[in-house]
Amino acid sequence: MKGPTALFIFFAMISLTLAGCGADEKSPEEHLAHAVAFQEAGNIDAAIVELKGALKQQPDNPEIRWLLGSLYLASGDGESAEKELQRSLDMGHDPKAIVLLLARAQLLEGKYQPLLDGTENAPTMSGDDQVQLFVLGFRSEEHTSELQSPSGSR
């Protein structure tokens, strides 16, 4: 098949393909619903992908960033967790929901001093959250002491 017919079919297929690409574009709410479903099923990586899709459409949504940071933390990626949680905090998300997660991310990264500095937020937290933050701070203090002592090598 050569000539104008082949060219027409070629462009028709490209047009249909491009039209189909946007046809099943998910809304941010659909991405969130899928992320929650994946998280409940234990598929953290797929949930992260869904939340990234939601962020493409709503990059200034602190709730999505908080959820993404939480999932990064659950997957063991402290650096990405800290980045997303800090962005969420900067966008106005409730600090009480972020402080402990941020402290866990910093501990995971080995950022002990920022974690210790963050324990000053404890008086504004609930009793259980205060205890958890102080435990994280204690762990951080142990690591800092090990690093500073002359016999700190393991």
Side-chain angles (χ1 to χ4, degrees), residues 71-86:
L71 289 177
Y72 276 133
L73 187 59
S75 73
D77 185 350
E79 183 178 354
S80 296
E82 182 182 17
K83 180 182 81 169
E84 293 300 339
L85 292 167
Q86 189 61 53

Side-chain angles (χ1 to χ4, degrees), residues 25-35 50-51 53-59 61 64:
E25 184 69 29
K26 295 180 202 169
S27 71
E29 293 78 17
E30 290 171 317
H31 280 294
L32 285 171
H34 285 112
E50 288 293 337
L51 290 176
L55 275 179
K56 284 182 182 178
Q57 296 173 24
Q58 293 184 347
N61 185 317
I64 295 172

Side-chain angles (χ1 to χ4, degrees), residues 73-130:
L73 187 59
S75 73
D77 185 350
E79 183 178 354
S80 296
E82 182 182 17
K83 180 182 81 169
E84 293 300 339
L85 292 167
Q86 189 61 53
R87 283 182 179 170
S88 178
L89 187 62
D90 293 344
M91 291 176 181
H93 198 279
D94 181 11
K96 291 177 185 175
I98 294 179
V99 171
L100 277 176
L101 297 175
L102 199 52
R104 287 184 185 123
Q106 290 168 337
L107 185 63
L108 193 59
E109 289 181 274
K111 291 185 175 180
Y112 306 120
Q113 193 58 49
L115 192 158
L116 289 171
D117 295 342
T119 58
E120 65 194 33
N121 293 320
T124 63
M125 302 171 75
S126 72
D128 289 343
D129 288 347
Q130 283 180 345

